[in-house]
Amino acid sequence: MKRIGRAALVAAAAGLAAGAPLWAGKTGKTNTGRADRVFVNGRIWTGEPSQPLAQALAIRGSTILETGASDAIRKLAGKGTEVVDLRGRFVSPGFIDAHVHLLGGGWSLEELRLDDASDFATLQARVRAWAQANPEARWVTGEGWSYGAFPNGMPTRLQLDALVPDRPALLGSYDGHTGWANSAALRLAEITRATKDPEGGEIARDAAGEPTGVLKESAQRLVERLLPKRLPHENERAFRNAISRAASWGLTGVHQAGISEEELESLSHALQASPQLRVYVALQMERDPTPQLLARQQELRQRYSGPRLRIGAVKGFVDGVVESRTAAMFEPYAAGGTGSANWTQDELDRAVAAYDKAGFQVMLHAIGERGIDMALTAFERAAAKNGTRGRRHRVEHLEVPRLADLARFKAAGVVASTQATFPYPDRNHLDVYVSTLGPERAHRALAYKAIDDAGAVQAFGSDWPVFSADVVHGLATVVTRMTDQGTPAGGWEPQQRLSVEAALRHYTKDAAFAEGAEQERGTLAKGKAADFVVLSQDLLTVAPERIKDVKVMLTVLAGQNSYRAAGF
Ligand SMILES: [Zn+2]
């Protein structure tokens, strides 16, 4: 799993380089028609149950004036109206990714990336090449390695010493939960056999008690805190890169899962300079929110409430992840342990109730069945205690629920925020993820059809840069449950495959619902935001195994082009 779609990245980059100015602004021409722009001769999937398909749409300003047949829509054009012939191309409401880390996404475009190094030899070559190409870098840092790339499922410092002998190196796993340090980095951080494990983390040790170079969870901070700090202008650049990359994937909106105040300011500057994306933001959820802290977070929510940048939520972590066996389970993993929750139920209940009362939506990362149960319980109790309704709290990831718990999502109005590319069944997924879970749990993991069948609102995201936020890749994954190479034949746990329409709905209307914006966006209808994406092929008729080849031709946000592929 966890591969950035390299071909898609290259294609998008080519389009960006060749495309016209991405944010042209108003032309200033006099327009005698009622519409500023009309798009005709398309196959438009509106997402509206009353009129799911249309041929054409008209835009005035930033909103949709009308959708319908090409002849009727043409009549809304006058002198000065831009008429775009879609030539049968497919149009969807703009994609919304309900779970990203934009800053990490932006940095991932510049850093040493190990995402597509699926075996140890490729990984070695990639690290060595980056270190040689960047001799002035004081540290070798990067991310994206997968557990399956290592012979024993975990790396060692000696392996990294052989690749980077001359300076400290720290490389993060694709899921962000494990660090791989070389001996120089451990020395600088003064990590020895005598060092105690920090709270919420583990320094892995060999049989003789020596640190192996693997740093789990919070133990990564012991080395990370020594890295040169990134400056605000560098973060702003990374945000801007992330924003244009998102637009190239057909995204008109994303949900930022957690951010610091300093990063928020950089993001705000980046969006002023590059307003090509709507960003819905979750602040960090604190363990014991004092009235002062809540007041400060409410103040930020009021300050950032615009059409491009809007705060509405806080995000916290209930448990860890499957691969490092930190996701909280009821039954032990095959290799032992039941994972760990970061809170007691009481602590979680208190914090969730405080944020619920203060009007925040709460997003809780919960992956194991026990973590998911804790999150749902906290949401149910907060609503009962505060008498609140319609907060649309969210469980993020919910990878391994007890199937009986799925009904609680609908009953409590909790959004299931899942990630479309998580079930991508490559070697790491099958060798590490599935075998860590064991067959019974794997069978009910990432069960997206079961979530739909339980009547939950399911919003799709990517967790970029954990996975690529390439939406076409996500759609292909949930519809086929196969890799781009067509493996495993028939798909992994194929009973959980989704229809294209269901998948589109989760990336549009349901993701808009998850941020409380479904009245303004998420479908294409009169009066809604003119946010949409034009694709090279008809998603409703293309063969499932060909979805991966569909290209984004044009992304329109608030009536204006935010991305245009070369040749469109
Ligand atoms: Zn995340």
Side-chain angles (χ1 to χ4, degrees):
M1 81 193 207
K2 300 78 192 190
R3 302 284 173 273
I4 301 253
R6 190 61 55 175
L9 288 186
V10 171
L16 276 173
L22 289 174
W23 200 257
K26 291 237 182 291
T27 57
K29 272 189 242 157
T30 341
N31 175 12
T32 59
R34 286 178 53 216
D36 294 326
R37 308 179 81 186
V38 297
F39 292 75
V40 296
N41 298 329
R43 196 166 141 78
I44 301 175
W45 182 79
T46 66
E48 289 284 340
S50 58
Q51 193 203 18
L53 291 172
Q55 293 176 322
L57 62 80
I59 298 171
R60 183 170 186 87
S62 61
T63 57
I64 294 173
L65 186 61
E66 202 67 76
T67 64
S70 293
D71 289 349
I73 295 299
R74 268 186 202 282
K75 295 196 176 109
L76 300 170
K79 212 173 131 229
T81 300
E82 184 193 356
V83 180
V84 179
D85 188 342
L86 291 167
R87 296 181 193 163
R89 293 217 150 102
F90 186 80
V91 176
S92 161
F95 299 138
I96 301 170
D97 184 315
H99 189 123
V100 299
H101 304 276
L102 270 188
L103 186 57
W107 280 110
S108 77
L109 303 173
E110 303 184 14
E111 275 189 328
L112 167 58
R113 293 302 299 181
L114 300 167
D115 304 82
D116 49 0
S118 59
D119 59 77
F120 190 53
T122 312
L123 201 138
Q124 285 175 303
R126 184 81 42 82
V127 176
R128 201 176 273 131
W130 195 94
Q132 273 166 13
N134 295 276
E136 75 298 336
R138 283 182 290 141
W139 282 72
V140 173
T141 57
E143 283 177 353
W145 56 264
S146 58
Y147 304 88
F150 295 92
N152 297 320
M154 275 292 176
T156 69
R157 71 187 151 86
L158 298 177
Q159 289 164 340
L160 193 49
D161 290 351
L163 303 171
V164 187
D166 55 335
R167 47 199 148 144
L170 177 67
L171 301 172
S173 60
Y174 76 91
D175 58 18
H177 290 263
T178 310
W180 173 27
N182 68 356
S183 298
L186 293 180
R187 255 195 316 277
L188 267 180
E190 297 175 344
I191 295 174
T192 66
R193 56 184 300 137
T195 311
K196 284 209 188 79
D197 287 344
E199 199 189 322
E202 184 196 335
I203 301 163
R205 297 159 210 266
D206 62 19
E210 289 296 332
T212 65
V214 166
L215 303 167
K216 292 188 185 177
E217 305 293 344
S218 74
Q220 297 174 79
R221 306 290 102 73
L222 300 174
V223 174
E224 278 172 2
R225 63 192 165 84
L226 304 171
L227 297 176
K229 194 173 162 10
R230 282 164 180 162
L231 301 170
H233 76 270
E234 294 174 317
N235 282 338
E236 191 179 321
R237 184 189 66 215
F239 273 125
R240 291 184 64 173
N241 288 338
I243 289 165
S244 29
R245 181 55 56 87
S248 77
W249 283 321
L251 289 163
T252 52
V254 297
H255 301 179
Q256 167 76 17
I259 197 166
S260 71
E261 257 191 65
E262 192 186 320
E263 290 166 4
L264 186 60
E265 205 167 299
S266 299
L267 172 59
S268 172
H269 291 155
L271 282 167
Q272 278 159 27
S274 312
Q276 295 150 267
L277 195 65
R278 302 182 194 270
V279 186
Y280 176 72
V281 172
L283 300 172
Q284 282 160 12
M285 178 180 176
E286 302 294 335
R287 188 162 285 267
D288 250 315
T290 59
Q292 292 84 342
L293 176 88
L294 285 173
R296 174 69 187 147
Q297 292 186 317
Q298 281 167 318
E299 191 186 310
L300 288 171
R301 187 174 62 188
Q302 265 152 27
R303 186 187 316 161
Y304 297 105
S305 56
R308 291 293 186 279
L309 179 57
R310 185 167 57 94
I311 294 174
V314 292
K315 186 201 172 204
F317 287 83
V318 176
D319 63 356
V321 298
V322 167
E323 288 88 339
S324 60
R325 290 183 280 123
T326 48
M329 299 290 181
F330 287 114
E331 301 294 329
Y333 290 94
T338 54
S340 52
N342 302 323
W343 313 64
T344 65
Q345 186 72 56
D346 265 5
E347 290 169 337
L348 188 64
D349 290 353
R350 264 205 311 278
V352 168
Y355 279 110
D356 175 89
K357 196 171 181 185
F360 281 96
Q361 178 188 52
V362 178
M363 296 162 60
L364 288 178
H365 164 122
I367 287 180
E369 57 205 359
R370 189 162 71 85
I372 296 165
D373 172 59
M374 286 179 68
L376 289 167
T377 300
F379 292 149
E380 289 158 356
R381 289 180 180 166
K385 183 177 178 211
N386 297 330
T388 44
R389 292 175 65 91
R391 284 278 190 265
R392 300 182 188 179
H393 297 312
R394 308 164 38 157
V395 180
E396 303 297 310
H397 313 308
L398 66 140
E399 292 176 29
V400 197
R402 290 186 297 203
L403 291 179
D405 282 339
L406 294 180
R408 295 166 72 187
F409 283 84
K410 185 182 181 193
V414 173
V415 173
S417 172
T418 58
Q419 285 65 46
T421 40
F422 278 21
Y424 188 73
D426 64 3
R427 221 177 95 190
N428 184 62
H429 180 79
L430 297 175
D431 292 356
V432 180
Y433 185 86
V434 169
S435 59
T436 302
L437 283 176
E440 187 275 322
R441 275 183 295 228
H443 187 59
R444 60 186 155 91
L446 309 168
Y448 298 165
K449 182 69 165 57
I451 292 169
D452 280 356
D453 290 346
V457 172
Q458 180 165 208
F460 272 162
S462 63
D463 210 7
W464 190 41
V466 174
F467 281 74
S468 163
D470 177 346
V471 176
V472 167
H473 178 53
L475 290 168
T477 301
V478 292
V479 172
T480 67
R481 310 266 291 195
M482 291 191 287
T483 63
D484 289 352
Q485 291 71 43
T487 59
W492 174 70
E493 300 289 347
Q495 72 283 0
Q496 299 298 343
R497 286 176 302 191
L498 298 185
S499 70
V500 168
E501 265 191 293
L504 282 174
R505 206 168 53 239
H506 300 328
Y507 262 126
T508 56
K509 189 182 181 179
D510 293 346
F513 178 92
E515 56 168 301
E518 78 280 7
Q519 301 296 329
E520 297 92 53
R521 295 183 274 120
T523 63
L524 298 175
K526 187 175 181 165
K528 291 208 164 176
D531 291 7
F532 58 90
V533 54
V534 180
L535 300 170
S536 60
Q537 289 172 77
D538 184 347
L539 282 177
L540 299 179
T541 58
V542 70
E545 63 276 13
R546 296 259 72 90
I547 293 174
K548 65 180 172 65
D549 302 322
V550 173
K551 301 272 178 284
V552 173
M553 307 307 292
L554 183 74
T555 310
V556 175
L557 172 62
Q560 299 191 46
N561 298 351
S562 57
Y563 168 76
R564 199 176 83 189
F568 184 80

